[in-house]
Amino acid sequence: MRLGTESIWLRRYTTAAAPRLRLLCLPHAGGSASFFHTWGHAFGDDVEVLTVRYPGRQERIAEEPWTSLEELAAALTEELEPYLDAPLALFGHSMGATLAYEIALALPRRHGVRPHLLMVSCRKAPHLLTPRTAALGDDDAIVEEVKRLGGTDSALLDDPDLRELVLPAIRADFTAVARYAARPGLPLPCPVVGYVGDSDPDIPAADVAAWSGISPYGFELKTLPGGHFYLMDREAELVGDIRARLAAQR
């Protein structure tokens, strides 16, 4: 794919001039590219934002959702090739953090490029991960899990027609998370920042801090007020923090 050609995988917020840096944003399980729509031009006129469009939702609603994080990461790594003419930073929330981790490892192997910065949000370090049992439950169990964590508009799940539309992608994502078993963490080829909400019901700050063990180029932990979806209520603070970090990547 040539740069400038529309990618079904990526929603691109272009800059007027050639970007100094690109930021790839990877949503959570059940999430979509629109989760980051307010980030599109939030980091300056020289930072191009790319948000990931997973199969089975929004523009890709007719496609079968995927159930393997490894396969998703491999496909995205290939799709990023035309965008590697500028340094690339990655931000992934929850499931998206695991995808960002896999992509960060794959970029040097596949394209000979190291990411500039990896930012992982509300995700345990790889060697601490455990399967999510909600992936094996019935529809009601999955809905309850999504509502417990927050982040997905409950109105979508309360409306029977909308629920039927969005639930297959949520179930597929939860299945993908469950299949991604704990594994030894591989050293990352770039600095890492971990973000977590101080009242996340499932992810203690210590489990995010454990990313430091696979971050030989440096690690920093940033804790913000809130739960698993702290980034909704604390968006301005989080975006400001990321903007400052990207500005320093010169």
Side-chain angles (χ1 to χ4, degrees):
M1 185 191 70
R2 294 189 184 90
L3 190 58
T5 303
E6 178 70 10
S7 167
I8 194 62
W9 284 95
L10 302 170
R11 182 177 295 170
R12 185 180 173 207
Y13 297 85
T14 58
T15 54
R20 172 183 60 85
L21 183 145
R22 290 189 172 94
L23 171 65
L24 180 71
C25 300
L26 299 107
H28 54 282
S32 62
S34 62
F35 185 78
F36 293 108
H37 75 278
T38 57
W39 291 29
H41 300 287
F43 303 103
D45 57 10
D46 59 352
V47 176
E48 182 174 279
V49 174
L50 305 170
T51 60
V52 172
R53 301 191 281 202
Y54 300 138
R57 63 214 79 188
Q58 295 189 329
E59 300 95 331
R60 307 184 70 179
I61 191 67
E63 299 180 41
E64 191 74 19
W66 293 19
T67 56
S68 167
L69 296 187
E70 292 89 345
E71 291 177 4
L72 279 168
L76 283 163
T77 301
E78 289 302 310
E79 197 72 11
L80 285 169
E81 183 176 11
Y83 300 95
L84 299 177
D85 58 327
L88 180 72
L90 303 99
F91 178 95
H93 178 64
S94 197
M95 180 188 83
T98 293
L99 288 170
Y101 165 70
E102 291 287 344
I103 293 168
L105 292 175
L107 284 172
R109 296 195 306 261
R110 186 66 187 88
H111 301 302
V113 173
R114 294 193 310 174
H116 237 49
L117 179 67
L118 171 64
M119 294 169 281
V120 292
S121 171
C122 291
R123 190 66 165 156
K124 296 178 181 179
H127 56 286
L128 301 181
L129 292 175
T130 55
R132 298 291 296 274
T133 56
L136 306 178
D138 60 16
D139 288 353
D140 289 339
I142 293 175
V143 169
E144 287 307 309
E145 175 70 358
V146 171
K147 288 183 175 181
R148 182 182 73 87
L149 292 173
T152 298
D153 189 346
S154 62
L156 295 178
L157 300 172
D158 292 335
D159 183 299
D161 293 332
L162 293 176
R163 171 171 161 160
E164 185 178 352
L165 194 64
V166 302
L167 203 54
I170 297 174
R171 175 179 283 280
D173 287 353
F174 277 29
T175 300
V177 169
R179 289 177 174 173
Y180 188 89
R183 61 196 64 195
L186 296 176
L188 284 154
C190 61
V192 180
V193 180
Y195 294 96
V196 66
D198 62 4
S199 56
D200 190 308
D202 296 328
I203 313 294
D207 286 354
V208 180
W211 285 89
S212 63
I214 55 171
S215 304
Y217 289 88
F219 175 83
E220 185 176 343
L221 179 67
K222 178 77 173 180
T223 303
L224 293 170
H228 194 66
F229 283 90
Y230 72 91
L231 66 177
M232 297 175 70
D233 294 331
R234 296 285 172 168
E235 180 181 18
E237 188 174 350
L238 175 62
V239 166
D241 187 81
I242 295 172
R243 185 189 301 115
R245 296 180 190 280
L246 297 184
Q249 301 292 313
R250 294 183 183 274

